[in-house]
């Protein structure tokens, strides 16, 4: 698909493998149950008979009755699950497809599963007691089922069924759907085999992979004997070295972080110091300007006082000159 082509809602919502991570929660849950059982097995004092076994023994994978084929997402998901759990494909809402179309859909689904290498659970035929019925049920895969929560009166009894204008589809009627076949195969005939398959195949595969990750491995007859103590010590040394390496990385990361913080603080300190020096210079300049203005005002005040004294002196002399002729005129009149 070209980058310029827009993704349709169908493509983005499951018709292809764009949502490849949707099955991860299922895988994680199944592995978590295997992990609990493995932890119980590895205990010094273990009690597997009294242990609550939460391992998943069967996965009913419901398929939409589109009438065409499996979606790519279905194939990818079942391929990821087939090594983890027993898978039985089930066609949901089988009453939406005609009988002939349903038979064609079953053949198409089984053909696609085989061609893509998806291993689903096959009912065992080794036991003569159940060989005939299991062989017959294997031909009905995938089972087509119908569900309902409504109780409908059919004849003299109440049954679970879906009501349509043309009639009803009974959940437990084998002529209408495969619900009874599926229930009988799971709960009555093959429950123990499902448990055995889970333990002998799926859990053993998980256990082997997990122990290999922990450093345990089987030895050939020609090789040296296997030592659990040596394996434990080697794994312990590997763990301590890895822990020491991570500790050194964290210490170096902390040192680098401290250095970065110190550099940032020094830069901030330098900025504050420069700002302080700038304000100090501005203060000194303002102080110098005020001093100059104060001297100018003092000189102006001194000059003003000198002019005032001179003006008062001149005024006094003028008044004194005017008073002398006035006295002479008075003396003459006398």
């Amino acid at each position: 698909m070209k980058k310029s082509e827009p993704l349709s809602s169908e493509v983005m919502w499951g018709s292809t493998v764009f949502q490849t991570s949707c099955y991860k929660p299922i895988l994680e849950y199944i592995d978590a149950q295997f992990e609990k059982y493995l932890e119980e097995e590895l205990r010094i004092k273990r009690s597997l008979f009294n242990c609550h076994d939460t391992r998943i023994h069967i996965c009913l994978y419901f398929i939409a009755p589109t009438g065409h084929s499996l979606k790519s997402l279905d194939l990818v998901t079942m391929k990821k699950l087939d090594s983890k759990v027993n898978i039985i494909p089930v066609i949901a809402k089988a009453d939406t497809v005609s009988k002939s179309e349903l038979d064609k859909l079953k053949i198409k689904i089984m053909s696609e599963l085989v061609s893509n290498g998806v291993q689903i659970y096959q009912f065992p035929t080794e036991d003569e007691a159940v060989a005939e019925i299991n062989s017959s049920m294997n031909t009905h895969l995938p089972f087509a089922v119908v569900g309902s929560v409504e109780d409908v009166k059919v004849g003299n009894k109440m049954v679970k069924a879906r009501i349509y204008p043309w009639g009803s589809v009974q959940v437990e009627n084998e002529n209408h759907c495969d619900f009874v076949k599926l229930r009988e195969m799971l709960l009555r005939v093959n429950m123990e085999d499902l448990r055995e398959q889970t333990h002998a195949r799926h859990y053993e595969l998980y256990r082997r992979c997990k122990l290999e990750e922990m450093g345990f491995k089987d030895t050939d007859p020609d090789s040296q004997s296997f030592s659990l103590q040596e394996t434990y010590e080697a794994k312990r040394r590997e763990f301590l070295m890895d822990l020491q390496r991570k500790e050194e990385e964290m210490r170096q990361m902390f040192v680098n972080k401290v250095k970065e913080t110190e550099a940032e603080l020094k830069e901030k300190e330098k900025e504050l110091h420069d700002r302080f020096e700038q304000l100090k210079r501005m203060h000194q300049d303002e102080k110098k300007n005020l001093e100059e203005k104060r001297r100018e005002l003092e000189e102006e005040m001194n000059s003003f006082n000198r002019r005032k004294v001179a003006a008062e002196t001149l005024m006094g002399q003028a008044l004194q000159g005017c008073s002398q002729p006035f006295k002479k005129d008075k003396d003459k009149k006398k």
Side-chain angles (χ1 to χ4, degrees):
M1 181 177 290
K2 298 180 181 179
K3 292 184 179 179
S4 59
E5 295 179 0
L7 296 176
S8 66
S9 60
E10 182 182 4
V11 171
M12 295 182 67
W13 194 249
S15 63
T16 60
V17 291
F18 280 93
Q19 292 184 343
T20 54
S21 61
C22 63
Y23 55 79
K24 288 184 178 180
I26 306 174
L27 295 178
E28 291 173 357
Y29 181 79
I30 295 173
D31 286 342
Q33 311 316 309
F34 285 156
E35 183 70 21
K36 291 179 182 179
Y37 195 86
L38 181 61
E39 289 177 358
E40 185 65 29
E41 269 194 338
L42 296 179
R43 291 179 185 273
I44 297 176
K45 294 183 179 180
R46 60 182 183 175
S47 178
L48 297 177
F49 295 103
N50 297 327
C51 173
H52 180 53
D53 189 0
T54 59
R55 292 176 296 178
I56 309 302
H57 300 297
I58 185 66
C59 170
L60 299 178
Y61 195 93
F62 284 87
I63 301 169
T66 57
H68 301 289
S69 61
L70 289 171
K71 296 179 181 179
S72 299
L73 185 61
D74 292 328
L75 292 171
V76 171
T77 303
M78 282 193 277
K79 186 63 179 175
K80 292 291 183 179
L81 290 174
D82 65 0
S83 61
K84 299 285 185 180
V85 66
N86 301 313
I87 300 176
I88 294 182
V90 177
I91 300 176
K93 299 180 180 179
D95 54 331
T96 61
V97 185
S98 66
K99 194 71 174 179
S100 59
E101 291 177 347
L102 190 60
D103 293 337
K104 293 178 181 179
L105 179 60
K106 286 186 176 185
I107 296 173
K108 181 67 173 178
I109 289 173
M110 293 302 296
S111 175
E112 290 184 348
L113 292 177
V114 173
S115 61
N116 287 276
V118 178
Q119 298 180 3
I120 63 173
Y121 177 76
Q122 294 286 330
F123 300 117
T125 57
E126 292 81 9
D127 189 355
E128 295 181 357
V130 294
E132 184 178 355
I133 186 173
N134 281 348
S135 178
S136 175
M137 289 299 104
N138 283 330
T139 61
H140 285 81
L141 290 173
F143 291 114
V145 299
V146 176
S148 176
V149 295
E150 297 180 5
D151 292 324
V152 179
K153 188 174 183 180
V154 178
N156 296 325
K157 62 179 181 178
M158 301 296 292
V159 297
K160 297 289 184 183
R162 283 178 173 269
I163 301 298
Y164 292 98
W166 44 263
S168 62
V169 178
Q170 300 175 32
V171 174
E172 298 184 359
N173 190 330
E174 295 189 40
N175 294 322
H176 294 177
C177 71
D178 298 330
F179 176 79
V180 174
K181 296 183 179 68
L182 176 62
R183 183 180 62 188
E184 290 296 306
M185 289 297 100
L186 294 183
L187 302 181
R188 187 176 65 86
V189 181
N190 297 294
M191 180 177 288
E192 286 303 319
D193 184 73
L194 287 167
R195 291 177 177 176
E196 290 177 5
Q197 286 289 328
T198 298
H199 184 79
R201 180 187 169 198
H202 304 296
Y203 172 70
E204 282 301 318
L205 177 61
Y206 174 84
R207 176 178 172 275
R208 185 176 72 246
C209 296
K210 197 68 176 180
L211 291 179
E212 287 178 354
E213 289 178 4
M214 297 169 63
F216 298 97
K217 57 183 179 180
D218 295 331
T219 57
D220 298 328
D222 298 334
S223 61
Q224 297 179 356
S225 60
F226 175 77
S227 174
L228 184 62
Q229 182 65 25
E230 291 179 1
T231 302
Y232 169 76
E233 290 295 335
K235 203 66 182 177
R236 183 174 181 272
R237 287 193 298 269
E238 181 183 351
F239 173 75
L240 291 177
M241 290 176 61
D242 186 61
L243 184 64
Q244 185 177 2
R245 179 181 59 80
K246 290 182 179 179
E247 184 179 356
E248 186 62 29
E249 290 177 356
M250 292 181 66
R251 184 183 294 109
Q252 188 63 35
M253 187 184 301
F254 176 75
V255 171
N256 294 336
K257 194 68 176 178
V258 170
K259 289 182 179 179
E260 291 177 2
T261 304
E262 288 180 351
E264 290 177 0
L265 290 176
K266 287 182 179 180
E267 186 67 23
K268 294 292 184 182
E269 184 180 3
K270 184 177 180 302
E271 291 179 1
L272 289 174
H273 182 73
D274 294 342
R275 181 64 178 170
F276 174 74
E277 291 296 330
Q278 182 182 3
L279 292 174
K280 185 177 179 180
R281 288 194 298 270
M282 291 174 61
H283 175 71
Q284 289 177 351
D285 293 341
E286 290 180 357
K287 184 177 180 181
K288 184 178 179 180
N289 292 333
L290 289 175
E291 289 292 334
E292 290 178 357
K293 288 182 180 180
R294 186 176 64 80
R295 285 195 298 270
E296 291 176 359
L297 288 174
E298 288 180 352
E299 290 177 359
E300 290 180 359
M301 289 179 63
N302 292 333
S303 177
F304 175 77
N305 289 332
R306 287 195 298 270
R307 289 196 300 271
K308 181 180 178 182
V309 171
E312 289 177 349
T313 303
L314 290 174
M315 187 176 291
Q317 291 176 357
L319 291 174
Q320 186 177 1
C322 292
S323 61
Q324 287 180 356
F326 181 72
K327 287 182 180 181
K328 289 180 180 180
D329 290 339
K330 288 180 76 175
D331 291 340
K332 286 180 180 183
K333 288 180 181 181
K334 287 180 179 182

